[in-house]
Every structure is written in structure tokens, then in C-alpha cells.
Amino acid sequence: MNASKRVLPGFGLSLGISLFFISLIILLPITGLFIRAAGMGWEQFWLVVSDPRVVAAYRITGLAALAASLFNCGFGLLMAWVLVRYDFPGRRVLDALMDLPFALPTAVAGITLATLFAESGWYGGWLAELGIEVAYTPLGIIVAMAFTSVPFVVRTVQPVLEELSPEDEEAAMSLGASDFTVFRRILLPALWPAVVTGGALSFARSLGEYGAVIFIAGNSPYISEVISLMIFVRLEEYDFPAASAIAAVVLTVSLLLLLGINIWQERYLKRLHGG
């Protein structure tokens, strides 16, 4: 295409503007965070991040985020499949509801979930009869994280499903392939990278969740205390270096995870397409 006919600016100007805003909005605050954490010195940094209560919060947050992400991978794939492959009354409303966790203030989501899953709530009362407690337990953390991060999986898988032709599945089934074989040999190879990417985004989002989790978790030390609460506690104590050190660990884990997923996805797609 002729450069004079391009709607957007050229590569140099576009890249320059993009890097400027990325530096201003993302890199500069992150750099400040790491500089403040580095100012503590290694011994003090290690003392803060290896505190038993902080380590317990890391463990609880990581396990809850992992459970929520695994649930979202299955549920998000099913929801994307329903939205793409079926036409039914209310489909557009259901599609719009998938984005609701993005728009809903997380504190409102947390209060709503805590009300619903409390023993006196609509779901909590019914679950209590089965001996299942959700509110103010680690299970409540998983519910809140799954609620706030499920759109990442749905919106990542949905475009890939729309690109897949149903004729391939119909051709395989007409040749005698079972439903499981069609899913394993035709759908899964194409959907797998999107599901993993959506799951990784869901996991990274859940690691930093605060508003939705704080109202339903119970916040008992060593039991249901998440790492974002530990950061908030340090900030309330005006211990900004300690808060920065704890946040730096979460940020580093999230960054490495997302970078690893991007590299894996690129290599997988190259192998899939014979590149």
C-alpha cells in the first residue's frame, strides 16, 4: 500500500507514540515501584517477602488463582462455544453479560457475592444444607476470582471459534468420527493456544484482585488472606517500601508468566502451521 494512502501514521510515528504512552502509563510507575523496593537493600527485602504471613498469602493467592483459572478455562470454552455455534433468544444479552465483570466495580461484585454466598443468602443457605461453606473461606476467594476473570477466557476463545469452519467437524462426523475424536483432532489443536492464553490472563488478573475478594474472603491470617490485602495493610501502616517489595514479587511473577505464554504461543502456532 502506498504510504501516502495509509489511514494511520507510518511505522516510526506509530511506534514512537505507542512507546511514549507505554512508558508514561506502564513502565514509569513500574520502574518507580522497583526502585523503591530496591532502596530497601537485599537483606531487608528478603525479610519482608519471606515473612511467614506474607508467604502464606502468596500461597493462598496463587492456589486460589490457579483453581479459578482452571475453572474459567472449562467454563469459558463452553460459554464461547454456546455463543458462537448456537442461535437462540437472548444470545446477545448473554454475550453482553460476559463483559459485565469488566464494567462492574469490583467492590460491588465482592459485596454482591458475599451477600449471595453468606449462610443467610440465596446460594449460601442452600449450600450450607449440603455442608459447603463459601463465604469467608478460601472457596469464596476462588468464586470471586473466577467471576472477575472469566471474560478473559471467553473473549480470547470466541474469535478463534468464529474462524473455525463447522464443515470440517461435519465432514469428520460423516466419515464416522466420534464426538470426542472430532473435539480432540479438529477443535482442540486450534483452540488450545487461545484457552491457555485466556487462562494465563485470568490467572494474572486474579493474582492482583482486591475489591471483589476482600468482602468474601474473611481475611483470616494464614487461612484466607490474599496478597493484595497484605499490600494494602502495609500501605495503611505507611510502610511503602515493604508494600513495594511485596508488589514487586507479584508483578515479576505475572510478567514472567505472560512473557512465557506469549513465547510458547508463538512457537506453537509456528509448528501448527508448519512455519
Side-chain angles (χ1 to χ4, degrees), residues 106-115 135-136 210-219:
T106 54
V108 175
I111 293 171
T112 304
L113 291 173
T115 304
Y136 318 121
Y210 176 77
V213 170
I214 208 70
F215 292 99
I216 197 173
N219 310 317

Side-chain angles (χ1 to χ4, degrees), residues 6-250:
R6 289 173 179 163
V7 176
L8 296 176
F11 172 74
L13 183 58
S14 300
L15 182 64
I17 293 174
S18 301
L19 290 179
F20 172 74
F21 279 102
I22 287 175
S23 301
L24 197 64
I25 298 173
I26 299 177
L27 294 181
L28 194 59
I30 290 176
T31 303
L33 178 71
F34 279 103
I35 289 176
R36 184 176 283 271
M40 302 174 64
W42 170 251
E43 187 175 345
Q44 184 65 23
F45 175 86
W46 180 251
L47 195 63
V48 169
V49 300
S50 64
D51 179 83
R53 187 174 171 185
V54 174
V55 172
Y58 280 131
R59 177 177 53 79
I60 293 166
T61 305
L63 291 176
L66 179 63
S69 301
L70 291 175
F71 171 81
N72 283 342
C73 285
F75 174 73
L77 174 61
L78 181 64
M79 183 54 64
W81 175 267
V82 169
L83 291 174
V84 172
R85 291 302 171 88
Y86 299 103
D87 192 11
F88 54 90
R91 184 175 69 87
R92 292 189 180 278
V93 175
L94 185 61
D95 196 7
L97 283 175
M98 285 298 99
D99 292 327
L100 190 61
F102 284 147
L104 192 67
T106 54
V108 175
I111 293 171
T112 304
L113 291 173
T115 304
L116 288 173
F117 285 98
E119 284 195 12
S120 57
W122 290 353
Y123 304 155
W126 177 69
L127 291 171
E129 294 178 0
L130 302 175
I132 302 173
E133 294 183 13
V134 177
Y136 318 121
T137 69
L139 186 56
I141 301 174
I142 297 172
V143 170
M145 288 180 173
F147 173 80
T148 55
S149 61
V150 68
F152 288 103
V153 179
V154 177
R155 295 311 183 206
T156 306
V157 174
Q158 201 170 354
V160 180
L161 265 174
E162 289 172 348
E163 292 294 324
L164 287 179
S165 172
E167 285 76 12
D168 294 339
E169 303 157 36
E170 293 169 0
M173 295 182 74
S174 68
L175 294 173
S178 64
D179 292 344
F180 179 72
T181 302
V182 172
F183 177 78
R184 183 172 62 87
R185 301 294 295 273
I186 297 177
L187 293 175
L188 192 58
L191 294 177
W192 182 244
V195 173
V196 173
T197 301
L201 291 173
S202 171
F203 181 82
R205 175 69 182 83
S206 297
L207 285 182
E209 182 55 50
Y210 176 77
V213 170
I214 208 70
F215 292 99
I216 197 173
N219 310 317
S220 300
Y222 302 96
I223 298 174
S224 59
E225 201 171 51
V226 294
I227 200 62
S228 55
L229 176 64
M230 294 303 303
I231 296 171
F232 182 74
V233 168
R234 295 294 179 268
L235 289 175
E236 278 195 323
E237 295 170 348
Y238 299 102
D239 192 352
F240 300 125
S244 301
I246 298 170
V249 173
V250 178

